[in-house]
Amino acid sequence: KVADLTLFAEVVNSTNPDTILLHNDVEPLTRAAAQWGRHNHKPVFHIPHANYQEIENSGSDIHSIITSTHILSSGSYQSAWYTKRRNDVECKIIETGLPQFDEWANLSLDPVQSRQSLGLDLDKPVITYASSWRQNTNLLGMHDGVEDSYLAILEVAKQMSDVQFIIK
């Protein structure tokens, strides 16, 4: 990893970006980019890919580390979460808005047309399963529960011919 980080830092240094935009600032490469930006007085914008919960958060979650210069939060909960964790790190938190206020979030679609466009039978109920992923950045998230539940929903789907499944 040291060689990868060294080469990555050299690439960032040679391209000398004006701004850095990240979906997280804690994994090795994104953290290196954030630290490079901070060291070189370049704005580093972190657009969080999730709202983190206080559940099982002992404070040792890697997401509690802040290396970017700006965090573009979705709303007051996320802003408060990062404000609590920024400690002495100079980081500006900017609320950019919540999805429910976005024009696309409130589209009014015809359910029949929507089902037809997905190739679904109009007379059968639909169950949607949207999985997650392992949270390897937190020891509490390193388990097989996500894979186990995915395999279990596939088994259920095989047994329920009277129901349609949309599985993400």
Side-chain angles (χ1 to χ4, degrees):
K1 294 228 177 199
V2 173
D4 290 341
L5 287 170
T6 303
L7 288 171
F8 179 74
E10 185 55 35
V11 167
V12 175
N13 202 40
S14 66
T15 57
N16 193 23
D18 295 326
T19 303
I20 297 175
L21 182 65
L22 304 169
H23 82 282
N24 81 58
D25 62 349
V26 294
E27 292 173 357
L29 293 179
T30 55
R31 188 170 179 186
Q35 290 176 326
W36 181 92
R38 186 175 283 282
H39 177 78
N40 288 283
H41 309 289
K42 306 286 178 127
V44 180
F45 293 94
H46 170 199
I47 303 173
H49 59 272
N51 279 324
Y52 308 111
Q53 305 296 315
E54 295 292 348
I55 302 166
E56 297 181 351
N57 187 349
S58 64
S60 62
D61 186 318
I62 195 165
H63 294 97
S64 295
I65 299 169
I66 295 174
T67 54
S68 58
T69 61
H70 296 74
I71 295 175
L72 305 179
S73 79
S74 61
S76 58
Y77 174 85
Q78 198 172 54
S79 294
W81 198 91
Y82 280 105
T83 298
K84 181 178 177 183
R85 284 156 180 80
R86 91 174 143 197
N87 298 322
D88 295 331
V89 175
E90 182 68 31
C91 177
K92 185 171 183 169
I93 299 171
I94 303 166
E95 286 187 27
T96 59
L98 294 168
Q100 66 261 38
F101 301 122
D102 190 313
E103 179 181 338
W104 286 90
N106 297 309
L107 289 178
S108 177
L109 300 174
D110 176 26
V112 171
Q113 184 181 6
S114 297
R115 282 174 167 240
Q116 287 173 335
S117 69
L118 291 170
L120 297 171
D121 184 332
L122 299 176
D123 298 321
K124 288 185 177 179
V126 177
I127 296 175
T128 303
Y129 176 80
S131 184
S132 186
W133 57 88
R134 285 174 53 105
Q135 298 296 312
N136 290 339
T137 56
N138 181 341
L139 286 177
L140 295 171
M142 295 179 72
H143 55 76
D144 294 331
V146 174
E147 290 83 1
D148 292 344
S149 64
Y150 179 71
L151 292 173
I153 198 71
L154 291 178
E155 286 302 315
V156 168
K158 288 180 195 176
Q159 297 172 22
M160 298 182 70
S161 60
D162 57 334
V163 175
Q164 302 169 96
F165 285 85
I166 296 176
I167 298 179
K168 170 191 164 279

